[in-house]
């Protein structure tokens, strides 16, 4: 995964000419100090770049235009140190295509009780200057994040950091290409959807390639390339005896390596950021890609099983958002339940493809039969996942809009060994509890496929949904079914009226 350091957010301060040169000089000096301080803070993974104060409609329009076309600029942080009459902002905000964070701060943390005079009041008036700016954004019905607090307060800075991560994910989607190897699984509803609308709304494209195109690349993989990857498998994982050199199924491991190398070559050549496959469409392939999908996900590619392109794209965006953070993000499926009243929980897994970024220890590399698909036994990585707070996210195509649905969960350490379960897995307890959490998910039409995240929070995804201009539904600690069902109904009305 590429580091986020090359990305920028621009720190733009609004003011006006009527304050005179001296005050404007001070505004610029203070704004620069804030931008530099945010830039140096480890909680913000991207560069924060100070820009000269904007004081007129022309200057505001120009900076928004520049931000739109600047490749590395992923958003604007706007702050009104003084009063900046907001009609000046209309033209710029109308054309701004990058996410905006409204930072409601003040240079001075404390009121200087003994020294405060009208000069101080004149300089430090974001308390009302930012209200004027907030009004015009609300009046224009613009999505943005408002962060309130002193610029040296770590909690406040963390919120800005979260937003920059969401903006990095959003930026990554713009112009991104996802490939589907084959169509989605026949007759399945939730993994299908409107790819045209997704491209309009989200900025990424999804296109299908026949399996034959992929098989052609796989068949060009050399024995030397396979030798090298098999050696990496042997040093990175605990290979089960039959897969080891000389073992009865070593040829299957070599076949899995060949598939991985071919798939990666295909993705690199096409500049794809993620992919889907399906067990129903593997013509010419020996086995369903298991370890290949797992390892490509760990390298940062998005993945969705059974042709699920929405989840593949979401996995990719969430991996970008989580860059450099402890813990991982993986394709996931709610698989089976433990309904014991004393300890209700969900077992999440997939047929094969769980990303090793969420593994709690060195995975074991195994081969077992797969009940469906009619192909050779696939090689896969098997592991448990660490306990702790996590979440599941799903993008749902509701026909007239997309909904980003999040369920906060608590992952738990496995209480029993699972000697016969041949796939990677996670155990979790949904918030607010199993019954309410699962019922709410089903009322919201959430998919069985999700992106499971150990390192992102609801706030990252709420910011991300705002950037995309889509519905955000949260199932968390405070959720009650009655309220949640109403929210879904009210949202239906809102999105019926508000056609963006
Ligand atoms: Mn599935």
């Amino acid at each position: 995964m590429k580091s986020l350091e090359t990305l920028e957010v621009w720190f733009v301060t609004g003011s006006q000419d009527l304050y005179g040169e001296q005050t404007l000089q001070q505004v610029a000096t203070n704004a620069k100090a804030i931008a530099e301080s945010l830039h140096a803070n480890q909680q913000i993974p991207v560069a924060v770049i100070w820009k000269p104060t904007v004081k007129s409609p022309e200057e505001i329009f120009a900076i928004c235009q520049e931000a739109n076309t600047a490749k590395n600029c992923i958003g604007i942080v706007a702050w009104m140190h003084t009063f900046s009459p907001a009609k000046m902002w209309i033209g710029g905000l109308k054309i701004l295509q990058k996410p905006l964070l409204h930072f409601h701060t003040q240079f001075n943390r404390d009121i200087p009780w003994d020294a405060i005079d009208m000069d101080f009041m004149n300089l430090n008036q974001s308390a009302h200057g930012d209200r004027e700016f907030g009004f015009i954004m609300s009046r224009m019905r613009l999505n943005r994040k408002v962060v309130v607090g002193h610029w040296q307060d770590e909690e406040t800075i963390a919120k800005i950091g979260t937003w920059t991560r969401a903006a990095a994910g959003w930026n990554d989607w713009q112009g991104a290409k996802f490939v589907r190897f084959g169509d989605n699984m026949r007759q399945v509803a939730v993994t299908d959807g409107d790819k045209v609308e997704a491209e309009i709304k989200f900025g990424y494209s999804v296109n299908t390639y026949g399996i034959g195109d992929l098989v052609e690349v796989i068949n060009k993989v050399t024995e030397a390339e396979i030798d090298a990857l098999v050696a990496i498998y042997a040093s990175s994982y605990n290979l089960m005896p039959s897969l080891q050199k000389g073992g009865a199924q070593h040829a299957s491991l070599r076949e899995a390596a060949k598939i991985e190398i071919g798939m990666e070559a295909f993705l690199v050549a096409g500049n794809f950021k993620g992919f889907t496959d399906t067990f129903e469409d593997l013509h010419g392939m020996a086995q369903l890609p298991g370890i290949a999908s797992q390892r490509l996900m760990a390298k940062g590619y998005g993945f969705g099983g059974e042709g699920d392109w929405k989840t593949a794209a979401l996995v990719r965006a969430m991996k970008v958002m989580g860059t450099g953070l402890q813990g991982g993000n993986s394709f996931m499926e709610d698989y089976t339940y433990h309904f014991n009243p004393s300890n209700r929980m969900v077992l999440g897994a997939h047929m094969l493809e769980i990303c090793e970024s969420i593994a709690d220890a060195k995975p074991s590399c195994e081969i077992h039969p797969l009940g469906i698909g009619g192909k050779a036994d696939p090689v896969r990585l098997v592991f448990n996942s660490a306990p702790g707070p996590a979440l599941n996210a799903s993008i749902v195509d509701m026909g007239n809009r997309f909904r980003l649905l999040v369920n906060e969960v608590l992952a738990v350490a496995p209480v029993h060994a699972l000697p016969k379960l041949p796939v990677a897995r996670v155990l979790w307890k949904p918030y607010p509890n199993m019954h309410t959490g699962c019922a709410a998910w089903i009322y919201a039409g959430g998919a069985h496929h999700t992106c499971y995240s150990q390192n992102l929070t609801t706030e990252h995804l709420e910011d991300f949904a705002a950037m995309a201009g889509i519905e955000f539904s949260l199932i968390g600690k405070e959720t009650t079914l009655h309220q949640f069902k109403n929210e879904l109904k009210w949202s239906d009305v809102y999105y019926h009226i508000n056609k963006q």
Side-chain angles (χ1 to χ4, degrees), residues 156-176:
T156 303
I157 298 164
K159 286 180 185 297
I160 299 174
T162 297
W163 174 84
T164 63
R165 286 183 176 279
W170 178 246
N171 177 67
D172 185 74
W173 264 10
Q174 307 314 305

Side-chain angles (χ1 to χ4, degrees), residues 286-304:
Q287 30 174 297
L288 176 63
I291 189 171
S293 298
Q294 292 178 292
R295 284 173 45 85
L296 288 167
M297 250 192 287
K299 286 185 175 178
Y301 289 102
F303 171 79

Side-chain angles (χ1 to χ4, degrees), residues 124-343:
N124 297 282
Q125 47 176 282
S126 58
H128 62 280
D130 273 329
R131 280 172 162 77
E132 166 75 357
F133 182 66
F135 163 72
I136 203 63
M137 292 209 74
S138 290
R139 173 66 180 77
M140 294 173 75
R141 271 72 171 175
L142 295 175
N143 286 326
R144 77 282 197 187
K145 181 174 193 175
V146 180
V147 173
V148 181
H150 191 252
W151 53 280
Q152 288 168 313
D153 173 52
E154 288 296 326
E155 247 177 74
T156 303
I157 298 164
K159 286 180 185 297
I160 299 174
T162 297
W163 174 84
T164 63
R165 286 183 176 279
W170 178 246
N171 177 67
D172 185 74
W173 264 10
Q174 307 314 305
K177 297 198 294 177
F178 293 92
V179 53
R180 294 194 309 158
F181 296 120
D183 205 336
N184 71 321
M185 183 181 164
R186 286 184 280 278
Q187 307 285 13
V188 175
V190 80
T191 55
D192 219 321
D194 189 340
K195 297 193 286 293
V196 174
E197 185 62 20
E199 186 159 349
I200 294 168
K201 202 81 198 159
F202 298 137
Y204 64 70
S205 65
V206 183
N207 285 291
T208 303
Y209 282 76
I211 298 302
D213 296 332
L214 173 61
V215 168
E216 208 180 296
V217 181
I218 291 172
N219 286 342
K220 284 185 187 145
V221 175
T222 66
E223 291 301 309
E225 289 174 304
I226 296 172
D227 289 343
L229 186 53
V230 165
I232 291 172
Y233 289 170
S235 63
S236 309
Y237 313 115
N238 300 315
L239 293 187
M240 69 192 276
S242 69
L243 289 178
Q244 291 168 10
K245 212 167 187 173
Q249 290 169 296
H250 184 65
S252 295
L253 188 73
R254 292 186 65 84
E255 186 62 38
K258 186 175 166 183
I259 291 171
E260 180 182 331
I261 296 162
M263 286 183 103
E264 187 166 11
F266 193 102
L267 295 171
V268 170
N271 197 23
F272 295 110
K273 290 179 171 176
F275 66 101
T276 70
D277 61 14
T278 170
F279 65 90
E280 277 182 344
D281 195 353
L282 295 172
H283 193 78
M285 289 177 80
Q287 30 174 297
L288 176 63
I291 189 171
S293 298
Q294 292 178 292
R295 284 173 45 85
L296 288 167
M297 250 192 287
K299 286 185 175 178
Y301 289 102
F303 171 79
E306 294 91 51
D308 187 347
W309 52 272
K310 291 191 295 295
T311 305
L314 184 62
V315 168
R316 164 66 185 195
M318 289 172 70
K319 282 181 173 291
V320 171
M321 288 187 237
T323 301
L325 295 176
Q326 201 77 33
N329 291 277
S330 175
F331 175 65
M332 187 60 67
E333 181 168 300
D334 293 73
Y335 225 105
T336 201
Y337 287 151
H338 188 60
F339 264 136
N340 187 310
S342 66
N343 193 23

